[in-house]
Amino acid sequence: MAQGVYPYFREITSKQGTEVDMGGHKVLMFGSNAYTGLTGDQRIIEKAKEALDKYGSGCAGSRFLNGTLDLHVQLEKEISEFIHKDDCLCFSTGFSVNQGVLAMVVGKGDYIICDDRDHASIVDGRRLSFARQLHYKHNDMEDLERVLQNLPEEGIKLIVVDGVFSMEGDLAKLPEIVELKHKYPNVAIMVDEAHGIGVFGDHGRGVCDHFGITDEIDLIMGTFSKSLASIGGFIASDKDTINYLRHACRTYIFSASNTPAATAAAMEALHILLKEPERIEKLWSVTKYALKRFREEGFEIGDTESPIIPLYVHDIEKTFKITALAFEAGVFINPVIPPACAPQDTLVRFALMATHTEEQVERGVQILKKIFKEQNII
C-alpha cells in the first residue's frame, strides 16, 4: 500500500466484459474467470429478472427447510444430465461445496490425498475431515503412487484434485490417476471442475469428459461463478452419495439457499452452452492465439493447456509492480503470490474469454511485453 502498488479490491463500475470501466479508467479485462464471456449476456440478465419478479429476492432459509424452489430442483436435474451423473446438489458457493463435501464423505480410518497445488477450498475442506490428510507433488504420478503404496488396504483413499489448476492453467493427469485407482484397493476420485466447465469437453462438460473418464470419477464438483455467469456450485455423484450429502452436509443444510436470480442465471447460461458450442470454439481460437504470441515474445508461461496463462515473474515485489504498471497502461491482470504459489514461482495471471478478440489480446501482449522488458524479466 505504501509503495502504491496494492492490487486488490479494485472497484469496477460496469458489467464484467472484455473491457471494463473502473471509475473512468477503461481497461482490458484479463483478470476474469468468465471464460464463456456470458456475464453480460442479455438473455441471462432477462432470466434473472424473471426469477426475481416471480420468486422475490431471496429464499429466507436453507434448502433443508423452507428454501427449496422448483427452480433449484430443475437446475440440479439439468446439471446431472449435463455432467452425466445420477444426481447432484447445488450449493450457494463453490467454496462451500469442497468445504462441506470433503468433511462428510471420508472419516476416521480413511485418507484424503491431494495434489499440493489444489485450491484453497479443497485444503479447507480436508482440514474439517477426520480422515488422515496426505498430499503428493504437483502432477507427479510417481509420488502419488508412493503415497498409495504406503497405505493399508482398509479405509477409503480419496484422491482430490483440480481438473484445471487455477493459477498455472495445466491439467490434472486424470487418466493416470484413474489407472492408479484400479491398481490399489478402496481408491475413489473427486475432481474439482471449477475451471474446466465451459472450457473443456463436449459442450463444455469439463476435463473429465475431455479425457472420456466421467464414469470413473466418483465425485465431480463445479461452480457457477465462472463459465456459468452466476454464483454457486454443485457436487455430482451417484444417487446414494447425493442423498447422504443432502441430509448430512453441514455447508448445504446450514446455509441459505441460492437466490432465485442467481439460480435462473446459471440455468440459462447452461442452456446457452448447449445451444452455442461455437462459443467454446471461439474461446479456444483466441486462447491458441494468445499462447502463440506470448511464446513468440519470450514470456515464460509454464505448462498451461487452458485459457489461464501464467506469466512468470519469480519475484514478489516485481509481481506487484507489474500488476500496477499494467493497470495504468490499461490492462487488468492478477498477481499470484504465496500462498497461492511457491515464493520463487510468483506470476501474473492472464485469463481469456470467448468474447476477447485477437486485437485485444495483441494489445495486451504488447503492453505487457514493454513492462516485462523494462523490469528485465524477458
Side-chain angles (χ1 to χ4, degrees):
M1 284 180 171
Q3 293 173 21
V5 294
Y6 184 72
Y8 306 116
F9 303 104
R10 292 172 281 180
E11 295 179 21
I12 297 170
T13 52
S14 65
K15 291 178 185 175
Q16 285 273 345
T18 59
E19 295 191 39
V20 297
D21 186 85
M22 303 188 74
H25 182 44
K26 284 277 188 185
V27 294
L28 288 165
M29 174 52 75
F30 291 112
S32 172
N33 295 319
Y35 305 115
T36 53
L38 286 171
T39 47
D41 191 285
Q42 197 58 38
R43 294 167 292 180
I44 292 173
I45 293 168
E46 289 305 320
K47 287 295 182 181
K49 286 179 180 177
E50 288 173 18
L52 193 61
D53 287 338
K54 180 176 180 179
Y55 298 98
S57 59
C59 298
S62 72
R63 288 286 305 277
F64 197 60
L65 298 174
N66 66 299
T68 291
L69 303 176
D70 55 352
L71 205 60
H72 295 128
V73 176
Q74 180 63 26
L75 178 58
E76 288 173 340
K77 179 177 182 292
E78 293 191 19
I79 289 287
S80 302
E81 292 171 354
F82 180 70
I83 296 296
H84 294 151
K85 285 294 180 188
D86 292 344
D87 203 354
C88 87
L89 285 184
C90 289
F91 289 63
S92 300
T93 68
F95 198 104
S96 64
V97 178
N98 285 336
Q99 193 176 43
V101 170
L102 287 173
M104 296 309 304
V105 294
V106 284
K108 288 180 180 177
D110 297 327
Y111 305 87
I112 294 177
I113 308 166
C114 294
D115 186 293
D116 64 11
R117 292 190 190 171
D118 277 350
H119 190 264
S121 58
I122 294 173
V123 174
D124 281 9
R126 80 182 189 203
R127 285 172 176 166
L128 292 173
S129 171
F130 289 107
R132 184 180 169 194
Q133 299 171 31
L134 303 163
H135 65 90
Y136 60 95
K137 295 173 187 173
H138 177 55
N139 261 346
D140 187 331
M141 295 299 99
E142 287 185 8
D143 197 39
L144 173 56
E145 183 158 20
R146 176 193 60 77
V147 172
L148 291 169
Q149 282 173 342
N150 290 322
L151 296 179
E153 288 192 12
E154 302 77 26
I156 298 165
K157 296 91 177 169
L158 179 64
I159 301 169
V160 189
V161 66
D162 288 9
V164 181
F165 291 93
S166 59
M167 297 300 148
E168 296 84 7
D170 53 339
L171 307 188
K173 295 180 178 179
L174 292 180
E176 291 93 330
I177 293 173
V178 167
E179 287 179 17
L180 291 172
K181 170 185 174 178
H182 291 294
K183 189 173 178 180
Y184 294 91
N186 296 324
V187 175
I189 304 171
M190 176 173 167
V191 176
D192 181 328
E193 287 275 23
H195 298 269
I197 299 290
V199 179
F200 288 90
D202 176 35
H203 288 80
R205 285 181 168 86
V207 177
C208 298
D209 183 85
H210 167 74
F211 285 121
I213 55 169
T214 297
D215 290 345
E216 297 281 2
I217 307 303
D218 301 277
L219 295 149
I220 295 177
M221 174 270 181
T223 58
F224 305 144
S225 56
K226 298 169 179 66
S227 289
L228 296 181
S230 185
I231 185 71
F234 69 85
I235 189 73
S237 187
D238 62 272
K239 283 192 178 294
D240 286 342
T241 299
I242 294 301
N243 191 47
Y244 164 69
L245 290 169
R246 184 177 283 118
H247 294 89
C249 183
R250 293 167 70 86
T251 59
Y252 177 79
I253 293 172
F254 296 103
S255 290
S257 58
N258 214 348
T259 66
T263 306
M267 197 183 311
E268 181 62 14
L270 183 62
H271 295 167
I272 293 170
L273 268 188
L274 290 167
K275 288 186 291 188
E276 299 178 1
E278 65 272 14
R279 186 172 288 272
I280 297 173
E281 291 170 13
K282 288 177 183 175
L283 172 62
W284 278 104
S285 175
V286 75
T287 294
K288 288 172 183 175
Y289 177 80
L291 290 168
K292 173 176 170 287
R293 290 295 295 118
F294 278 120
R295 287 190 177 109
E296 286 174 348
E297 297 295 353
F299 287 84
E300 181 188 345
I301 64 172
D303 298 320
T304 181
E305 301 175 66
S306 72
I308 300 164
I309 305 178
L311 307 176
Y312 283 92
V313 179
H314 301 296
D315 182 293
I316 292 174
E317 288 190 13
K318 283 187 178 181
T319 299
F320 283 129
K321 190 169 185 181
I322 285 167
T323 304
L325 291 170
F327 182 72
E328 289 172 14
V331 172
F332 189 112
I333 48 176
N334 292 311
V336 180
I337 62 163
C341 67
Q344 69 274 15
D345 291 331
T346 66
L347 58 98
V348 290
R349 183 182 184 274
F350 187 99
L352 294 151
M353 306 178 215
T355 42
H356 276 123
T357 65
E358 288 187 4
E359 185 274 331
Q360 287 175 321
V361 170
E362 189 60 38
R363 269 196 283 155
V365 169
Q366 292 303 325
I367 288 168
L368 291 170
K369 174 185 172 183
K370 182 175 182 292
I371 293 168
F372 270 62
K373 283 193 170 182
E374 288 171 351
Q375 297 300 313
N376 298 312
I377 298 165
I378 61 170

